[in-house]
């Protein structure tokens, strides 16, 4: 793939994108995991420059937003953890400051995207909170942690429904903080259950519990996990939205399955009561992904997983390989093989 930013690919070839894309950290993140697992210098060399490349987006006034966690945790922060590189640490802390600066005090939410979306917040940001918790531990500054907990509490209050289903986007009045309405986003509609959003919530809430020890977040992760597992297809693969009409005719999303599998393994590690259940569920999910979506035996195929769905409401990236699906599939397999470091 050279030095392009892979995002999605049909017929085994990834399309390149720009460094300010939210997906730009996943390919180098895969390289850092492989370096950590194998010690091979070629992986380290291929991964080394990526955090610097993404940092240049700040200088170009590029479109960076709430997803800097996805961009800098697998690159700068992982680089620092594995090598002690001070530039990696500096870039990670800079990204954490940027993310903290997006916090809206009225309403207690981290703003999503830019331009006119001033009062929007999304479930994806639950994963980016790990950047704030890392920065708080690294600097001994509690403000990062306080913002992370505040956003997580907003997720508990507004995003996760009583049955364990999850909203993708919520709109708040940025001046008063009043909750306005749910929005469909990448799901079927405002009341639907976008499977990748479910997966973000499983993993993200498990992470918040790991960092805080607050049982409310563990209980939330478990509730979302049970909803996710109960709604899988007979193949064990998630549909792109669990509430879309005529689901049997709709495409799968292997990326949601991979994210959920890695999140379930995280949940298994932090839940001393039901951990074995979640580990077995993750293993079954990975087996299903490998059997029905795996491209591991196709040597010229760049993706690891097929049958991902990016933005179905826009008709974009349907039945393709997705670099974040590949990343979380690899991450989950690494965890099963005893990998002890954590990116998120």
């Amino acid at each position: 793939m050279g030095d392009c930013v892979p995002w999605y690919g049909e017929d085994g070839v990834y399309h390149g994108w720009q460094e300010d894309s939210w997906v730009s950290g996943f390919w180098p993140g895969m390289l850092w995991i492989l370096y950590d697992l194998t010690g091979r210098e070629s992986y380290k060399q291929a991964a080394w420059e990526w955090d610097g490349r993404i940092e240049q987006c700040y200088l170009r006034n590029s479109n960076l937003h709430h997803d800097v966690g996805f961009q800098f945790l697998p690159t700068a922060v992982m680089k620092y953890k594995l090598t002690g590189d001070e530039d990696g640490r500096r870039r990670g802390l800079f990204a954490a400051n940027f993310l903290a600066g997006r916090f809206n005090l009225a309403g207690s939410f981290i703003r999503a995207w830019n331009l006119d979306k001033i009062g929007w917040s999304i479930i994806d940001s639950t994963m980016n909170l790990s950047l704030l918790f890392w920065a708080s531990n690294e600097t001994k500054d509690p403000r990062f942690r306080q913002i992370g907990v505040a956003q997580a509490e907003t997720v508990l209050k507004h995003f996760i429904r009583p049955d364990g289903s999850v909203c993708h986007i919520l709109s708040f009045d940025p001046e008063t903080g009043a909750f306005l309405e749910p929005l469909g986003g990448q799901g079927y509609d405002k009341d639907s259950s976008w499977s990748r959003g479910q997966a973000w919530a499983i993993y993200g809430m498990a992470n918040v519990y790991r960092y805080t020890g607050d049982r409310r977040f563990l209980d939330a992760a478990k509730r979302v996990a049970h909803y996710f597992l109960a709604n899988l297809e007979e193949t064990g693969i998630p549909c792109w939205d669990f509430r879309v009409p005529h689901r049997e005719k709709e495409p799968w999303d292997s990326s949601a399955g991979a994210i959920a599998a890695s999140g379930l393994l995280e949940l298994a590690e932090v839940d001393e009561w039901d951990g074995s259940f979640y580990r077995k569920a993750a293993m079954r999910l990975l087996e299903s992904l490998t059997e029905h979506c795996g491209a591991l035996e196709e040597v010229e195929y760049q993706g690891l997983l097929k049958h991902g769905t990016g933005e179905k409401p826009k008709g974009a990236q349907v039945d393709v390989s997705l670099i974040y699906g590949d990343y979380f599939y690899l991450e989950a397999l690494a965890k099963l093989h005893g990998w002890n470091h954590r990116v998120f």
Side-chain angles (χ1 to χ4, degrees):
M1 292 187 290
D3 61 355
C4 80
V5 176
W7 187 343
Y8 64 96
E10 305 100 346
D11 301 322
V13 179
Y14 266 115
H15 292 273
W17 217 249
Q18 61 271 7
E19 281 89 351
D20 65 355
S21 166
W22 76 277
V23 303
S24 59
F26 291 116
W27 169 237
M30 294 171 72
L31 294 171
W32 280 120
I33 291 174
L34 289 167
Y35 168 68
D36 198 24
L37 287 171
T38 67
R40 286 174 54 181
E41 285 294 313
S42 58
Y43 292 127
K44 176 182 174 182
Q45 291 169 9
W48 189 266
E49 299 296 333
W50 278 89
D51 58 323
R53 287 177 59 182
I54 300 172
E55 181 189 35
Q56 291 300 307
C57 296
Y58 287 113
L59 304 179
R60 297 196 301 266
N61 194 30
S62 295
N63 190 35
L64 298 180
H65 46 64
H66 60 273
D67 277 332
V68 289
F70 282 134
Q71 293 169 299
F72 286 90
L73 282 167
T75 58
V77 176
M78 195 60 178
K79 181 182 188 179
Y80 170 62
K81 287 180 178 179
L82 296 182
T83 72
D85 180 70
E86 285 298 323
D87 280 332
R89 180 181 186 273
R90 173 182 58 78
R91 289 166 182 146
L93 292 176
F94 190 90
N97 274 290
F98 176 86
L99 183 59
R102 301 183 66 85
F103 184 70
N104 191 311
L105 188 61
S108 293
F109 65 89
I110 292 176
R111 175 191 173 185
W113 295 300
N114 297 320
L115 300 176
D116 59 340
K117 301 175 178 64
I118 297 174
W120 287 17
S121 187
I122 65 173
I123 194 63
D124 314 41
S125 287
T126 313
M127 290 292 292
N128 292 300
L129 300 184
S130 294
L131 180 65
L132 298 176
F133 289 116
W134 168 78
S136 189
N137 290 339
E138 189 67 25
T139 62
K140 311 305 179 189
D141 187 336
R143 293 174 297 173
F144 293 110
R145 180 183 182 278
Q146 290 162 2
I147 291 173
V149 170
Q151 170 70 18
E153 289 180 336
T154 296
V155 171
L156 289 181
K157 183 177 181 180
H158 293 292
F159 279 91
I160 301 176
R161 305 182 185 108
D163 66 353
S165 64
V166 173
C167 305
H168 181 204
I169 303 174
L170 297 181
S171 176
F172 298 86
D173 184 318
E175 294 290 343
T176 67
F179 170 66
L180 299 178
E181 60 179 339
L183 303 170
Q186 288 173 254
Y188 171 70
D189 66 20
K190 63 183 180 65
D191 297 316
S192 68
S193 175
W194 177 51
S195 60
R196 192 158 76 242
Q198 300 288 142
W200 293 140
I202 295 169
Y203 200 159
M205 287 288 102
N207 285 341
V208 174
Y209 173 69
R210 175 161 52 87
Y211 282 111
T212 65
D214 188 327
R215 181 65 191 262
R216 293 177 301 157
F217 302 121
L218 176 63
D219 291 341
K222 294 171 71 169
R223 189 163 76 250
V224 178
H226 284 264
Y227 180 92
F228 186 97
L229 294 171
N231 279 280
L232 294 174
E233 303 298 299
E234 290 185 5
T235 57
I237 308 297
C239 180
W240 74 277
D241 191 302
F242 291 135
R243 289 183 176 168
V244 66
H246 309 295
R247 207 169 81 177
E248 69 279 0
K249 299 179 181 179
E250 295 290 328
W252 297 339
D253 183 11
S254 58
S255 75
I259 296 160
S262 195
L264 287 167
L265 288 172
E266 208 61 40
L267 189 53
E269 187 171 293
V270 300
D271 186 358
E272 62 182 285
W273 300 275
D274 301 312
S276 62
F277 169 82
Y278 297 115
R279 182 177 178 87
K280 290 175 183 177
M283 293 176 70
R284 286 195 302 270
L285 190 47
L286 289 167
E287 289 169 357
S288 296
L289 288 168
T290 303
E291 177 182 355
H292 297 288
C293 305
L296 304 182
E297 296 181 1
E298 301 180 37
V299 177
E300 299 301 320
Y301 197 97
Q302 292 178 343
L304 300 182
L305 292 177
K306 299 179 180 180
H307 307 311
T309 297
E311 294 193 60
K312 178 63 164 57
K314 295 181 179 179
Q317 305 154 27
V318 177
D319 198 21
V320 296
S321 291
L322 295 163
I323 193 61
Y324 43 91
D326 286 358
Y327 168 84
F328 285 102
Y329 180 67
L330 174 67
E331 184 187 77
L333 293 174
K335 290 176 181 178
L336 286 179
H337 280 271
W339 179 60
N340 293 319
H341 282 110
R342 290 293 179 268
V343 174
F344 292 96

